[in-house]
Amino acid sequence: MGRKQKVLVTGAAGFIGMHTVLKLLAEGFEVIGLDNINDYYNVSLKYARLNELGIEKDKVLYNWLEQGNEGFQFLQLDLEDAGNLNNLFAKQHFDYVINLAAQAGVRYSITNPRNYISSNIIGFYNILEACRNYPVKHLVFASSSSVYGLNRSVPFKESDHTDHPVSLYAATKKSNEVIGHAYSQLYSIAMTGLRFFTVYGPWGRPDMAPFKFTKAILEGKEIEVYNQGNMQRDFTYIGDIVAGVYKTLFLPPKPNPNYQYGNPNPAESSAAYRICNIGNSQPVNLMDFIKAIEKATNKKANMKMRPMQPGDVQVTYADTGYLHILIGENLRTELQDGVNAFVDWFKKYNN
C-alpha cells in the first residue's frame, strides 16, 4: 500500500480551517495543521476547535508537532517564520497545500494595518516560496469577496476588475491574488484562489454578525444594525465552503493555451492559475438574516440602527457559474437550515 497523500492546512485552528481538516481526515488523508493562535478574538474558541481535532491545549508548543486525531498533527507556527516554515516543507513533502491562515476582519484592518501586511502579505509570500522550493500538486488559497470593493455590477464575476478595494484587508487579499499569479507564471505552481462570501455556521468567528447577533438576542441585549439594515450578504454555509474547497483541491488548473493576450480577461490566465467565487449565490437582506436568527432562537431582536461603517460594502453577491462548471454541482444550503445549525451549536458551546 502506498503512503497516504499529505495535505498542509494553514489556519487550522480557525473556523474554515477546522472544518476543512475534519473533512480531509474523514476522506483518509494525512493532514498537518498550522496556526499561530493569535488573539484577534478569544483564543479559547481556537483551542476548543483544536480539541475537536484531538489536540490538547496544554500540549501545544511553538514549532512542535503534536499528534491529534488519527492522521492529524498540529504545529503552532507563524507564517512569517520563513525558516521554520521551509524546514516543515523540507521534512514533510506535502502533496497539497490549503492556505487559510490570514489576519481577518475588515474593520480591524483600519486600526491595525501592520498585522495585515505581516500576516497576509509576508506570510503568504513565505507560503509561495515554500511551494516553489518544495513543489506541491496544487496550492489552494483563501481570497475574499471583499476584493470586489467599489464594484457595483452584481452578481460579482471572476471576470470583473477588482482594482478598487475599500479596506486594507481587501487590498491584502487582492495582493495575494496578483502575487500568486506571478509565482504561478514564473515557477509553474498550480494555484487556485477562492473568493469566500460571508461564511457562517457552527464554530464560526465571534467577530462576525451571526455570532454577535445570536449572542445579543439570546442575552436580551441590543444589536447594532448598520446602514439602517439596508445591506445584503451572500451568506454561505460552512459545509458548502468546505465541499467547494475539497472538490477544488483535486482539480488543479492548467495553462490556457488560448489566452487572449490582446484582450485580457481577469478570470483567465496563461499560467496554471485560476480565481473562483465560492458563495451561495442568493444574497440575503440583513433584516431577513436577523429574522432567521429570531426564528431559531424564538426571541425577538432589539435593534439599534447605525450608519454604514468605513470599509463596508452594501451588497455581496457571487456569480458561482464557474464553480458549478468546475465541480459539477451547486453548493446551496438553505438559510434557515444553516442558521438553525449555528444556533444549536452556539447554545451547546455556551451552555
Side-chain angles (χ1 to χ4, degrees):
M1 180 183 292
R3 75 173 182 89
K4 289 184 178 181
Q5 295 195 89
K6 188 179 295 187
V7 185
L8 172 67
V9 178
T10 74
F15 172 33
I16 301 173
M18 183 206 78
H19 286 280
T20 300
V21 170
L22 287 172
K23 173 64 174 175
L24 289 164
L25 293 176
E27 297 294 339
F29 289 86
E30 186 175 347
V31 182
I32 289 182
L34 182 157
D35 202 294
N36 68 355
I37 318 182
N38 70 25
D39 61 357
Y40 167 58
Y41 56 83
N42 194 326
V43 296
S44 63
L45 178 56
K46 298 183 180 184
Y47 282 116
R49 294 188 191 120
L50 287 177
N51 192 59
E52 292 292 299
L53 301 174
I55 300 295
E56 297 177 27
K57 175 182 176 180
D58 294 341
K59 293 184 178 180
V60 174
L61 298 172
Y62 189 81
N63 197 34
W64 180 268
L65 273 173
E66 179 62 27
Q67 185 69 48
N69 294 346
E70 184 179 353
F72 180 65
Q73 291 178 286
F74 176 75
L75 184 72
Q76 184 182 3
L77 188 68
D78 270 305
L79 291 189
E80 298 98 299
D81 187 346
N84 282 317
L85 186 65
N86 273 280
N87 289 340
L88 179 68
F89 271 75
K91 293 175 181 176
Q92 296 298 331
H93 307 290
F94 296 113
D95 296 286
Y96 299 94
V97 173
I98 302 174
N99 184 55
L100 303 172
Q103 177 58 62
V106 168
R107 293 172 195 148
Y108 189 70
S109 71
I110 296 171
T111 55
N112 298 272
R114 185 176 296 275
N115 292 7
Y116 291 77
I117 301 300
S118 58
S119 178
N120 298 6
I121 296 182
I122 301 302
F124 184 63
Y125 158 75
N126 288 339
I127 285 286
L128 292 174
E129 276 289 285
C131 290
R132 175 170 78 95
N133 294 324
Y134 307 98
V136 297
K137 297 175 183 177
H138 192 190
L139 165 62
V140 173
F141 68 92
S143 187
S144 168
S145 61
S146 297
V147 301
Y148 288 103
L150 293 177
N151 178 37
R152 293 292 181 266
S153 175
V154 293
F156 297 152
K157 301 179 180 67
E158 294 90 348
S159 57
D160 291 341
H161 289 277
T162 54
D163 297 328
H164 300 94
V166 295
S167 70
L168 184 65
Y169 168 70
T172 61
K173 288 300 184 179
K174 169 71 173 181
S175 298
N176 287 173
E177 292 182 1
V178 295
I179 296 171
H181 183 272
Y183 265 72
S184 179
Q185 184 79 51
L186 290 169
Y187 307 116
S188 300
I189 303 172
M191 201 178 308
T192 297
L194 295 175
R195 291 175 178 165
F196 296 143
F197 280 71
T198 317
V199 189
Y200 76 101
W203 297 97
R205 288 182 4 225
D207 62 313
M208 298 290 285
F211 195 110
K212 291 194 292 186
F213 288 173
T214 299
K215 184 175 188 294
I217 290 170
L218 285 171
E219 294 176 354
K221 295 180 179 178
E222 192 173 71
I223 65 174
E224 293 185 332
V225 181
Y226 294 108
N227 201 37
Q228 315 303 318
N230 184 26
M231 301 179 78
Q232 289 184 310
R233 289 291 180 268
D234 201 336
F235 288 103
T236 311
Y237 188 65
I238 182 62
D240 298 332
I241 290 288
V242 171
V245 171
Y246 180 79
K247 290 176 181 291
T248 302
L249 185 64
F250 307 108
L251 297 167
K254 297 178 181 178
N256 179 6
N258 300 314
Y259 181 70
Q260 300 296 311
Y261 291 93
N263 186 27
N265 180 344
E268 299 176 353
S269 177
S270 60
Y273 179 90
R274 72 162 72 96
I275 290 292
C276 191
N277 289 336
I278 179 166
N280 196 50
S281 197
Q282 290 183 323
V284 175
N285 290 318
L286 184 58
M287 300 304 293
D288 289 336
F289 191 80
I290 293 170
K291 288 177 183 176
I293 299 175
E294 289 178 327
K295 184 176 181 180
T297 59
N298 199 29
K299 287 178 175 279
K300 294 295 290 182
N302 178 18
M303 292 177 276
K304 180 179 181 180
M305 297 301 175
R306 299 288 304 275
M308 182 77 99
Q309 296 293 287
D312 266 355
V313 295
Q314 188 169 339
V315 179
T316 64
Y317 179 3
D319 182 320
T320 57
Y322 182 36
L323 180 68
H324 176 74
I325 292 170
L326 187 64
I327 67 174
E329 64 176 297
N330 286 318
L331 304 171
R332 193 170 290 169
T333 295
E334 290 299 320
L335 177 68
Q336 193 64 58
D337 293 338
V339 170
N340 290 347
F342 172 75
V343 171
D344 286 346
W345 166 81
F346 186 93
K347 288 178 177 179
K348 292 174 184 175
Y349 179 73
N350 292 282
N351 297 316

